[in-house]
Amino acid sequence: LTLGLTAVGFADKPRMGKKRIAKLMKFDADGSGTLNQAELTHALRAKAAKRFAKLDADGDGFVTPAEREKARTEKLAKVRAKNPERATKMETRIDRKMEKMQRKGKELPQKMTLTMMQDKAAKKAARMMKKKDANGDGVLSASELAKRGKRKGK
């Protein structure tokens, strides 16, 4: 499988790195070198399932706020050991996201299920397709994945 990654695809601060794109392209079921909506949704739902398995520390089928916080703390500690500046940026991004949710009156559910995480991933796949499909053909090439998506109002 050739990813067709060109210098143009990675210009202007790419949103996704080559490794992340390569991981997504493994879900190219038809071997076309692109991802259609079903393939992208499958990829993100699989990623959500893997993340859920890591987060559900007690194996009860739910991810609780305590499990989320423990995973966040462990991840930040691991990143901080390698790159303190990146860890600080991660913390800031997470805090901003939580503040934004509070302003909108949203809260994280007390217990999150695998289905909830996968449904959220499917919605993300739909937004991603809409935002990154530059030529409107309904599929994402590696270069489209690499580029920043369309901005609101532009």
Side-chain angles (χ1 to χ4, degrees), residues 150-154:
K150 303 170 200 158
R151 299 283 177 181
K152 289 182 182 177
K154 293 187 180 182

Side-chain angles (χ1 to χ4, degrees), residues 48-98:
K50 188 175 177 180
R51 179 154 171 72
F52 183 86
K54 284 183 181 179
L55 289 173
D56 185 18
D58 59 8
D60 67 352
F62 297 98
V63 175
T64 63
E67 289 170 322
R68 284 193 300 262
E69 185 57 33
K70 181 178 181 229
R72 176 183 183 240
T73 302
E74 288 173 357
K75 174 74 172 179
L76 284 169
K78 188 177 178 181
V79 172
R80 186 168 281 111
K82 290 183 180 180
N83 187 339
E85 186 178 322
R86 181 170 175 237
T88 301
K89 287 180 181 180
M90 284 176 65
E91 270 185 308
T92 301
R93 187 174 63 243
I94 292 167
D95 291 343
R96 283 183 186 155
K97 189 173 186 176
M98 296 304 288

Side-chain angles (χ1 to χ4, degrees), residues 27 29 35-45 125 129 138-139:
F27 289 91
L35 292 176
N36 61 35
Q37 184 67 54
E39 292 167 335
L40 183 61
T41 301
H42 178 69
L44 295 185
R45 287 176 63 91
M129 180 64 75
V139 297

Side-chain angles (χ1 to χ4, degrees), residues 16 20-21 23-28 35-53 114-132 140 145:
M16 276 192 211
R20 188 167 172 207
I21 292 169
K23 284 181 182 179
L24 279 174
M25 293 307 257
K26 287 180 183 176
F27 289 91
D28 176 20
L35 292 176
N36 61 35
Q37 184 67 54
E39 292 167 335
L40 183 61
T41 301
H42 178 69
L44 295 185
R45 287 176 63 91
K47 184 178 173 183
K50 188 175 177 180
R51 179 154 171 72
F52 183 86
L114 174 59
T115 302
M116 291 167 75
M117 284 184 78
Q118 288 183 322
D119 289 349
K120 190 175 178 179
K123 289 177 185 176
K124 181 179 180 177
R127 284 191 316 268
M128 195 172 170
M129 180 64 75
K130 184 177 179 180
K131 185 176 182 179
K132 290 188 169 284
L140 295 178
L145 285 168

Side-chain angles (χ1 to χ4, degrees), residues 97-112:
K97 189 173 186 176
M98 296 304 288
E99 288 170 9
K100 184 178 178 181
M101 285 179 64
Q102 287 175 343
R103 280 194 312 269
K104 290 184 173 185
K106 295 181 180 179
E107 291 183 19
L108 287 172
Q110 287 301 307
K111 289 188 173 183
M112 187 170 276

